[in-house]
Amino acid sequence: MIYYGKQEAQVLLDRLAERAVMEEGEIYTAVSTTLNAIRTKGDEALKELTLRFDGTDYAATPLMVSKEEIEAAYDAVPETQLKAIRKAIENLTEYHEKQKDDGYTILKDGIIMAQRVRPIKRAGIYVPGGTASYPSSVLMNAIPAKIAGVKEIYMATPAKGGKLNPLTLVAANEAGVTAIFRMGGAQAIAAFAYGTETVPKVDKITGPGNAYVAMAKRQVFGTVGIDSIAGPSEIMVIADDSANPRFVAADLYSQAEHDVLAAAICLTTSKNLALAVEAELARQGEELLRGDIAKASMARYGGIIVLDTIEECVEVCNAIGPEHLELVLDDTDVDLDSIENAGGIFIGSYSPEPLGDYLAGTNHVLPTCGTSRFSSPLGVYDFVKRSSVLCYNRERLAEVKDDVLAFAGAEGLEAHGKAVAIRFMED
């Protein structure tokens, strides 16, 4: 559907805002019950829930994937796919190595101040799937963790009927995952958060999942760290009349096919492009295997908005804060400083969003539902923690003693002041 002007498009923008709301209804209650079961009963509850929801019987296919199963998986993976995985790892490593932070030290006469950066010990990465294969999600989570220096990287993925796609296993092994567990849904998040007899308790959980996974991450936050609460996929394309409508329509569908809640929006200053993209969406939608899903998401949360200027397009973009933003403009030197809120930015006609999903090296775990206003793509920085370091000698403390006592007195905290003053009193 084409919307002309921001006022007409407001109905679409309002629908987008609704997707971010997580109500404390049936999903909240179901997840709370699952979390409590895993916390109190451990492996026993995990076994029961995994059999119920995934049809996986741990008596036939153990919770932890064996080395032999991983080795056998290589025989089922075509060389072309293995080559692609290794190329993606190379690119991801090159990009994410630049995110490493060694901290800093400030040295003055008699004073040392520093920031110490250390990796977390254990990370739990969640990979959706089962018999479906999402090797890219494995790599996007595991590679930054590995670069950060995380020693133990555990992976959870649902295994329908106990079966896992060989490509997922190979990707995990190539990325250096420590162990793989057959578990999914809220029960997997709970196992990572609380630990069981078999599953280690981790320090942070990353990776996207369905509504139950998202709710579980929300509820365990504080017991463990999380990367974010992922919402449905989003793409926004800002295009002028130089854009190829076939490309734009294809890029919109690249995200619309994920989920009926996915959002795919084109902002343009060209009525001609809007009409051409609309025609292409109608044509290409009939050719997609997941066409029903893609067309449903476009009908509810997608569309083409025609605005007067590119500046207006940028204004709408910043208000929405899309997960993925494509800039398909004649002027490829668009001022990126004007883009305040976007997870991943793709510039030009030959930088389609799926390039970042799979191979280029940027991370595809991105903020959704407007959270790019305050959060970032998954990176090495998500797998480290920082400590401050402070050291004064006697002379430097003496110089600031009275200032510290002034603060302590103002706040009525006598013992705070005494902890400084006592160092200058006679025994």
Side-chain angles (χ1 to χ4, degrees):
M1 181 175 180
I2 301 177
Y3 301 87
Y4 293 95
K6 285 189 290 185
Q7 186 172 355
E8 187 174 307
Q10 192 59 49
V11 61
L12 172 60
L13 303 182
D14 289 343
R15 283 202 297 267
L16 290 178
E18 294 172 1
R19 301 179 320 140
V21 178
M22 294 187 74
E23 296 181 355
E24 296 190 359
E26 291 182 6
I27 292 180
Y28 183 94
T29 302
V31 167
S32 295
T33 300
T34 294
L35 297 183
N36 188 58
I38 298 294
R39 184 177 59 81
T40 56
K41 297 181 180 178
D43 279 354
E44 178 187 346
L46 186 58
K47 177 180 179 180
E48 176 188 333
L49 291 166
T50 303
L51 181 61
R52 184 195 310 172
F53 293 120
D54 292 333
T56 296
D57 184 352
Y58 288 150
T61 50
L63 170 58
M64 184 184 296
V65 176
S66 68
K67 291 182 179 179
E68 291 75 18
E69 186 175 352
I70 294 171
E71 290 170 1
Y74 277 83
D75 295 332
V77 172
E79 186 64 29
T80 54
Q81 294 180 355
L82 181 58
K83 181 180 177 182
I85 285 174
R86 289 174 174 168
K87 181 63 176 176
I89 290 174
E90 181 182 330
N91 291 343
L92 283 161
T93 300
E94 179 184 23
Y95 181 82
H96 287 83
E97 280 279 357
K98 300 292 185 182
Q99 297 176 350
K100 292 175 71 173
D101 181 1
D102 297 324
Y104 57 85
T105 301
I106 299 171
L107 298 175
K108 298 180 180 180
D109 183 23
I111 299 174
I112 301 172
M113 291 187 291
Q115 181 167 254
R116 183 171 178 260
V117 181
R118 298 290 297 164
I120 63 174
K121 181 180 179 182
R122 292 174 176 167
I125 64 175
Y126 186 89
V127 177
T131 54
S133 180
Y134 295 99
S136 60
S137 291
V138 178
L139 304 183
M140 297 291 167
N141 285 271
I143 297 302
K146 197 74 175 177
I147 292 171
V150 178
K151 298 298 183 184
E152 300 174 35
I153 304 172
Y154 298 102
M155 187 177 102
T157 189
K160 294 297 182 182
K163 295 180 180 179
L164 288 170
N165 192 290
L167 193 57
T168 301
L169 299 180
V170 168
N173 192 58
E174 292 287 321
V177 169
T178 306
I180 304 166
F181 297 101
R182 290 180 176 87
M183 58 183 189
Q187 60 269 25
I189 302 303
F192 275 155
Y194 305 121
T196 73
E197 296 88 338
T198 305
V199 181
K201 178 180 179 178
V202 303
D203 302 305
K204 191 165 190 176
I205 301 171
T206 69
N210 62 19
Y212 290 87
V213 170
M215 181 61 77
K217 288 172 70 177
R218 173 184 170 185
Q219 291 190 31
V220 300
F221 176 62
T223 300
V224 291
I226 63 171
D227 53 345
S228 63
I229 301 173
S233 297
E234 303 161 349
I235 186 170
M236 177 173 286
V237 181
I238 298 179
D240 58 20
D241 56 10
S242 70
N244 186 320
R246 291 171 52 241
F247 296 178
V248 173
D251 292 355
L252 293 174
Y253 273 141
S254 73
Q255 294 307 293
E257 73 170 350
H258 270 296
D259 189 327
V260 294
L261 294 176
I265 297 172
C266 175
L267 304 177
T268 183
T269 54
S270 170
K271 293 181 180 179
N272 289 336
L273 178 71
L275 292 169
V277 170
E278 184 179 50
E280 278 296 322
L281 287 169
R283 185 183 67 79
Q284 293 184 29
E286 299 304 317
E287 300 172 349
L288 297 173
L289 293 176
R290 295 171 63 87
D292 289 345
I293 293 173
K295 288 186 289 185
S297 70
M298 284 297 302
R300 180 67 178 168
Y301 299 110
I304 306 159
I305 302 174
V306 180
L307 299 170
D308 292 334
T309 66
I310 293 299
E311 288 73 22
E312 277 192 317
C313 294
V314 170
E315 182 184 336
V316 172
C317 168
N318 286 333
I320 293 175
E323 178 186 14
H324 307 99
L325 171 65
E326 291 188 2
L327 300 173
V328 189
L329 303 166
D330 187 40
D331 180 8
T332 56
D333 294 325
V334 63
D335 181 13
L336 283 181
D337 287 341
S338 66
I339 306 296
E340 297 176 356
N341 302 323
I345 302 172
F346 303 77
I347 300 175
S349 294
Y350 294 93
S351 305
E353 185 279 331
L355 180 65
D357 268 355
Y358 296 128
L359 196 74
T362 53
N363 207 292
H364 81 199
V365 182
L366 300 167
T368 60
C369 296
T371 58
S372 63
R373 292 178 294 109
F374 53 81
S375 58
S376 310
L378 188 70
V380 173
Y381 38 76
D382 285 296
F383 296 96
V384 298
K385 54 194 177 152
R386 296 166 178 83
S387 300
S388 60
V389 179
L390 180 64
C391 178
Y392 270 51
N393 65 17
R394 191 178 193 281
E395 290 72 23
R396 297 288 79 80
L397 180 59
E399 290 176 356
V400 300
K401 170 175 67 72
D402 291 341
D403 294 323
V404 176
L405 292 174
F407 269 109
E411 296 186 354
L413 296 173
E414 178 189 9
H416 277 61
K418 188 174 182 180
V420 173
I422 199 169
R423 284 164 166 78
F424 300 95
M425 296 177 180
E426 294 289 337
D427 291 339

